[in-house]
Amino acid sequence: MKSDAGHNSRDHFSSQYGALVAIVGSAVGLGNIWRFPYIAGVYGGGAIILLYIVFVLIMGRPLMLTELTLGRLGQGNAYGAFQRMNAPGMGRLIGSMGILAAFIIMSFYTAIGGWTMAYIFKSASGGFAGASSQQIQQIFSDFVSHPVWPIVWQALFLLATMYVVMRGVSKGIEKFSRLMMPLLLLLLVVMGIRAITLPGGMDGLKFLFKPDLSKLNPESVMAALGQVFFSLSLGMGAILTYGSYLSKDADIVKSSKYVTIADTVISLLASIAIFPAVFAFGLDPTSGPGLLFETLPNVFGQMPAGQVFSFIFFFLVFIAALTSAMSLHEVVVAFAVEEFGMRRPVAAWLISLLIMALGVFCSLSLGIMSDFTLFGKSVFDLMDFISSNILLPAGGLCMAIFLGYVLSRPVVETEITSGGRYRPHLAVFYFLVRYVVPIAVFLIFLNGIC
Ligand code: PFF
């Protein structure tokens, strides 16, 4: 179904289901399986998870709908869509912050994407078979501190991303996401059950779901906010760009709901697979970015045919990472193609080279350059902080203000309801977008900075 007679010059998804799967594909990725558990661990578990869920409800979901609306209304990438909505200044601001954020996120996202690829091969070759939890930790630290291999894997991950992005929207992105996501969900459930039933596993569930509110502080509140934006791909125009590919009769209210639910469920499931194992094997929940890679091989070691499961799992995480990376890459490529008239392959190569130039330092900062710090953070942590905790929330804030205050309400409502075809209740949405999102983001910024 190639719908959309009105704007058929742009590439549209071949079906609404495909478009929805692709948006889920952007949202669900390393943010859910790698970043959510490690952030939850570092900031003490239950309390930050509870806060995360509250933020998803009051900011994540409304901003997801905001971006889909702006993209479909403006019919363009983060930059061009605002030009078409007669707000070139806003477009320049949000567009450039978004492109910068996409670029920075890619620099470290590709590093972790590379780790997942390496772990596919390590699993397949039986690298973890019979290993103790200390040995598994050692395998990980030997791997990340090697000066060459993590960078080679990072480059391979980037090449894989570029290859799919170069094939265009409907062919590349849709096909990849459709099959893999349900499989990933299923496997996470199986692993969660195995992890909970390990001796001592229940302590992991307590850690996750018994909030100790005294653990909240300005830093952890900011981390929860950053995680909402990162995980749902919000604030930089990725969802906006995908929204522009949706047909005019798609129900974007429902889409925003399903995507938000799917994303949150996957983050929680990943944590349920990881934390019981952290406690069962006496690992450190605050170990940071390595948590996933140091923990799960232990769980596979306790499963029949663990080697096969481990291989499938890391392969699925790789695919999830790839579909997210594609959307990050796509934001920058769509910008270069549509605004500068660059040819797609040229844009994709050029952008990849730039990402790699910064990405090498992110990779090394998790290994041999870990002592090198800027503003008290490693290059990796700094890139993560600037993008997730500053640029994305700032982008989201601008979009909320634009939709809530600049666009006229009838225009917004016509777009959201597809010209009256759907009848959602928009009062709560408006309240959240006009008041809650701007005030909350502003206060959290202020709190985090002061
Ligand atoms: N949401 C992705 C994840 O959870 O892995 C990461 C991401 C993709 C962030 C696209 C931002 C974005 F625009």
Side-chain angles (χ1 to χ4, degrees):
M1 173 177 76
K2 280 255 172 201
S3 38
D4 284 82
H7 33 259
N8 48 13
S9 57
R10 305 189 74 239
D11 196 358
H12 281 245
F13 286 103
S14 58
S15 73
Q16 289 311 301
Y17 175 73
L20 188 59
V21 174
I23 296 172
V24 175
S26 164
V28 175
L30 294 173
N32 308 67
I33 298 157
W34 158 75
R35 198 174 186 277
F36 182 89
Y38 110 65
I39 295 278
V42 168
Y43 292 102
I48 192 176
I49 291 183
L50 186 66
L51 190 64
Y52 176 85
I53 293 173
V54 172
F55 283 174
V56 164
L57 292 174
I58 64 171
M59 290 192 264
R61 162 96 201 276
L63 280 174
M64 176 70 64
L65 182 54
T66 298
E67 281 208 34
L68 290 177
T69 309
L70 294 179
R72 203 172 58 168
L73 187 65
Q75 284 298 302
N77 60 68
Y79 191 78
F82 286 95
Q83 309 247 316
R84 279 167 213 109
M85 291 184 285
N86 295 322
M90 191 56 117
R92 267 194 295 279
L93 178 68
I94 296 179
S96 27
M97 281 195 311
I99 285 151
L100 186 66
F103 174 73
I104 295 178
I105 293 174
M106 274 302 271
S107 73
F108 66 86
Y109 207 86
T110 48
I112 313 298
W115 293 1
T116 62
M117 284 174 95
Y119 268 58
I120 298 174
F121 288 90
K122 280 191 204 300
S123 313
S125 61
F128 305 114
S132 67
S133 58
Q134 283 90 343
Q135 284 165 328
I136 286 170
Q137 257 174 327
Q138 195 59 45
I139 293 172
F140 175 76
S141 68
D142 288 348
F143 170 64
V144 288
S145 56
H146 194 278
V148 178
W149 281 114
I151 295 171
V152 171
W153 285 111
Q154 180 178 23
L156 286 174
F157 181 81
L158 187 55
L159 279 175
T161 309
M162 202 180 71
Y163 173 76
V164 191
V165 169
M166 266 161 57
R167 294 179 57 195
V169 173
S170 32
K171 273 183 259 125
I173 300 176
E174 234 178 280
K175 237 197 258 165
F176 256 80
S177 321
R178 194 175 287 221
L179 203 89
M180 300 296 172
M181 291 293 142
L183 215 57
L184 179 63
L185 194 71
L186 189 72
L187 194 59
L188 282 175
V189 171
V190 172
M191 286 160 56
I193 293 172
R194 175 64 276 212
I196 295 171
T197 50
L198 287 169
M202 276 301 170
D203 288 341
L205 283 192
K206 270 196 217 128
F207 177 81
L208 283 177
F209 298 114
K210 243 179 114 188
D212 172 1
L213 295 183
S214 68
K215 295 223 164 100
L216 292 181
N217 54 38
E219 204 188 328
S220 61
V221 174
M222 204 159 172
L225 180 77
Q227 177 60 20
V228 171
F229 280 87
F230 188 92
S231 186
L232 290 169
S233 305
L234 294 172
M236 50 162 273
I239 299 295
L240 187 151
T241 306
Y242 276 3
S244 76
Y245 298 133
L246 280 171
S247 79
K248 284 284 182 191
D249 51 14
D251 186 349
I252 53 178
V253 175
K254 253 198 198 141
S255 308
S256 69
K257 179 162 123 193
Y258 292 149
V259 174
T260 311
I261 292 175
D263 190 76
T264 310
V265 166
I266 298 219
S267 292
L268 292 175
L269 282 178
S271 307
I272 293 171
I274 288 177
F275 282 100
V278 167
F279 284 83
F281 292 99
L283 304 169
D284 176 12
T286 65
S287 76
L291 188 69
L292 167 75
F293 300 88
E294 292 167 328
T295 306
L296 287 186
N298 291 299
V299 180
F300 294 120
Q302 301 289 319
M303 287 165 79
Q307 194 173 331
V308 179
F309 274 108
S310 174
F311 171 79
I312 298 175
F313 175 76
F314 283 111
F315 181 73
L316 292 177
V317 177
F318 160 67
I319 297 296
L322 195 63
T323 52
S324 302
M326 279 156 31
S327 75
L328 289 158
H329 210 280
E330 174 71 20
V331 169
V332 195
V333 170
F335 167 73
V337 170
E338 290 177 18
E339 305 308 322
F340 285 121
M342 242 185 229
R343 280 184 39 242
R344 215 174 158 80
V346 177
W349 273 105
L350 188 70
I351 287 156
S352 299
L353 284 176
L354 290 173
I355 290 170
M356 206 55 210
L358 182 62
V360 167
F361 293 100
C362 289
S363 251
L364 292 179
S365 85
L366 292 157
I368 54 174
M369 271 176 66
S370 59
D371 291 336
F372 174 79
T373 56
L374 285 167
F375 307 105
K377 292 186 189 303
S378 69
V379 178
F380 180 94
D381 284 342
L382 187 66
M383 293 305 132
D384 186 43
F385 182 81
I386 294 175
S387 51
S388 317
N389 293 6
I390 297 180
L391 289 172
L392 298 185
L397 177 70
C398 293
M399 288 194 232
I401 290 174
F402 184 74
L403 185 135
Y405 294 96
V406 179
L407 286 178
S408 87
R409 194 159 168 162
V411 169
V412 172
E413 289 195 358
T414 308
E415 190 60 51
I416 293 184
T417 60
S418 296
R421 185 177 170 145
Y422 307 104
R423 306 203 171 278
H425 293 293
L426 293 177
V428 176
F429 167 69
Y430 252 95
F431 176 75
L432 293 173
V433 168
R434 286 177 68 114
Y435 304 108
V436 176
V437 172
I439 294 171
V441 172
F442 182 73
L443 287 182
I444 293 167
F445 266 171
L446 208 64
N447 207 19
I449 291 163
C450 298

